[in-house]
Amino acid sequence: MLAQTPHAFAPLRSLSLSLCGRSCLLTLLLSLALLASAAHAQGNGNGNNGNGNNGDTGNNGKPTKPNPKDPAQNYMEIPPNSSGQEGGVCRAQGRCFRRTLTCPAQCSKRKPRMAKKVKGCFIDCSKCETTCKFRKPNCEGYGAICYDPRFIGGDGVMFYFHGGKGENFALVSDSQLQINAHFIGSRPQGRTRDFTWIQALAVLFQDHTFVLRAKPVATSAWNDSVDAMVMEWDGAVVSIADGEDWVSADGEVTAERTAEANAVRVAVGRMVEMDVRVAPIGEEERRVHNYRLPEDDAFAHLEMQFRFKNLTDGVEGVLGQTYRPGYTSPVKRGVAMPMMGGEDRYRTPSLLSPQCTSCRFNPPASTSSI
Ligand SMILES: *[C@@H]1O[C@H](CO)[C@@H](O)[C@H](O)[C@H]1NC(C)=O
Ligand SMILES: *[C@@H]1O[C@H](CO)[C@@H](O)[C@H](O)[C@H]1NC(C)=O
Ligand SMILES: *[C@@H]1O[C@H](CO)[C@@H](O)[C@H](O)[C@H]1NC(C)=O
């Protein structure tokens, strides 16, 4: 079903951490970690670890915080001024506290229509600035998974999880929701492990599935203007018309393009919103990391950033566990590639299976087959 329903059930929130080069990542993560732990110490221990669910709601009961765990995004939305420029008032303690940030005239809205052509406004309450950007996963933000998969946890801690080539793992498993990922990869001769990337995602909720997949593309055929993203709702291909939102028949899922091709934003229930993009592995990346991949395969894979809205305290999964209140990351700090284990706890028999040793999602009985 196609429908032009921008606000079918829940306002989609903008992401607003601005992009940060790898060189400033450490500084950024350090400050984020400090701020996040400060927020925890300030009585965030009521168990609400998702975003927008800390009892901090606007006048119509909808959450007004894009993501209280992410200081850069911690602002209260304010109505557009008479020129139509939206804005926000920063709430995170720090140098932007209580500052009003107004979107530039060139990108007056956080979530513009025609997102392929019009940049969105990003409010950044860690830098006290607003910038115009196409909405894409921010690989340095909370809940991001990019590259050979490198995660930024809900606790702000960066880690790598290799998984295994051809295997599937639960990224998030909670009572109402599970998100599995399919890993592709390659093992050059003489290496002891696979280089891996995430090729597909499956969101399982109620008795539904929403799948996002990167199509295999030959290196020579890669063109960022040609869509290599496939989406499926309960097994049927979802196509999104130009400038429209796609909404599932029951209104639980919305999807929209955030670029001409290869980038979408998907929201499922009131549980998760994600920016997902398809990326190839470029020449430079191959050389720097010495992946030694087959030349004829672009290894099209997904880069993503999740924003969760209603996780429980016991949330599981490679990424999900890092959103638990009081979670202490087991990964080594201060090393170039901090590793997260847990393959055996989070491996699922297939992309669509809810089953893993530590999984918590219980689909309705009728669909609980493997
Ligand atoms: C809206 O806000 C912008 C930025 O602060 C400002 O330049 C512009 O004049 C405002 N428009 C009106 C009508 O107040
Ligand atoms: C990429 O695809 C677009 C749209 O189909 C096309 O106009 C453009 O020429 C292509 N670019 C290359 C380098 O093939
Ligand atoms: C959050 O999840 C709980 C169950 O875990 C559910 O009862 C509640 O309605 C959910 N809240 C929202 C806003 O969806």
Side-chain angles (χ1 to χ4, degrees):
M1 186 183 98
L2 291 170
Q4 196 137 18
T5 318
H7 302 293
F9 56 95
L12 298 177
R13 298 294 168 191
S14 312
L15 101 109
S16 50
L17 246 184
S18 67
L19 286 168
C20 171
R22 282 197 192 212
S23 55
C24 75
L25 174 64
L26 193 63
T27 324
L28 178 68
L29 285 181
L30 267 174
S31 43
L32 289 179
L34 282 172
L35 281 158
S37 54
H40 262 288
Q42 278 167 24
N44 212 6
N46 60 357
N48 285 314
N49 48 19
N51 51 10
N53 194 31
N54 285 357
D56 193 351
T57 56
N59 38 14
N60 54 4
K62 286 176 181 156
T64 53
K65 272 186 185 180
N67 183 351
K69 290 207 92 179
D70 186 341
Q73 287 186 42
N74 189 353
Y75 59 86
M76 183 179 69
E77 291 174 15
I78 52 173
N81 75 8
S82 49
S83 332
Q85 287 161 255
E86 296 179 349
V89 179
C90 293
R91 287 198 278 215
Q93 295 291 335
R95 69 193 175 98
C96 314
F97 185 53
R98 293 197 173 143
R99 286 269 298 274
T100 297
L101 302 177
T102 307
C103 293
Q106 310 89 284
C107 61
S108 58
K109 294 189 165 45
R110 285 181 300 270
K111 186 190 172 225
R113 303 295 303 156
M114 301 303 293
K116 314 180 352 172
K117 304 214 173 69
V118 183
K119 289 183 177 180
C121 166
F122 284 71
I123 296 172
D124 186 334
C125 284
S126 64
K127 292 186 177 164
C128 318
E129 67 181 25
T130 55
T131 45
C132 298
K133 280 187 211 165
F134 289 114
R135 294 174 301 154
K136 277 191 195 153
N138 171 9
C139 290
E140 314 303 333
Y142 285 70
I145 309 178
C146 295
Y147 317 123
D148 45 355
R150 194 199 72 173
F151 292 60
I152 310 285
D155 55 355
V157 175
M158 181 270 277
F159 62 88
Y160 286 81
F161 174 80
H162 293 314
K165 170 185 168 180
E167 297 190 87
N168 303 282
F169 297 92
L171 300 180
V172 178
S173 184
D174 202 6
S175 54
Q176 309 283 319
L177 173 81
Q178 181 154 325
I179 303 174
N180 292 345
H182 179 73
F183 284 58
I184 51 170
S186 168
R187 182 180 302 193
Q189 262 194 336
R191 293 276 315 190
T192 53
R193 68 161 185 91
D194 300 335
F195 288 116
T196 49
W197 292 271
I198 292 176
Q199 188 238 356
L201 282 177
V203 182
L204 321 181
F205 67 103
Q206 300 167 358
D207 55 353
H208 297 297
T209 56
F210 192 91
V211 171
L212 297 104
R213 216 187 282 280
K215 275 195 270 197
V217 181
T219 311
S220 56
W222 177 264
N223 178 340
D224 204 31
S225 308
V226 176
D227 218 13
M229 171 96 74
V230 178
M231 289 178 283
E232 290 161 6
W233 161 247
D234 289 343
V237 171
V238 166
S239 53
I240 306 179
D242 205 14
E244 286 187 344
D245 288 350
W246 177 88
V247 183
S248 64
D250 61 0
E252 288 283 347
V253 185
T254 58
E256 60 174 322
R257 291 185 186 282
T258 50
E260 186 184 6
N262 295 317
V264 294
R265 174 171 289 186
V266 177
V268 177
R270 290 176 180 268
M271 295 179 292
V272 64
E273 181 186 301
M274 53 203 191
D275 286 310
V276 184
R277 124 182 149 97
V278 178
I281 299 178
E283 290 288 317
E284 178 69 5
E285 230 176 327
R286 284 172 201 240
R287 196 181 55 73
V288 169
H289 297 278
N290 194 21
Y291 291 139
R292 284 177 281 159
L293 298 177
E295 282 297 328
D296 57 345
D297 190 339
F299 273 76
H301 61 282
L302 302 179
E303 296 189 335
M304 65 207 82
Q305 186 181 19
F306 297 103
R307 286 175 294 279
F308 299 104
K309 303 217 163 117
N310 196 11
L311 297 175
T312 69
D313 289 0
V315 59
E316 271 289 2
V318 181
L319 176 67
Q321 59 182 340
T322 66
Y323 284 82
R324 290 178 170 206
Y327 177 76
T328 314
S329 183
V331 307
K332 256 195 206 137
R333 312 292 177 91
V335 296
M337 270 198 123
M339 299 301 306
M340 179 74 84
E343 274 84 349
D344 289 343
R345 286 194 295 140
Y346 298 126
R347 183 179 289 106
T348 63
S350 71
L351 180 62
L352 297 182
S353 170
Q355 299 185 354
C356 76
T357 308
S358 294
C359 282
R360 293 167 43 83
F361 177 64
N362 286 310
S366 58
T367 57
S368 63
S369 58
I370 298 184

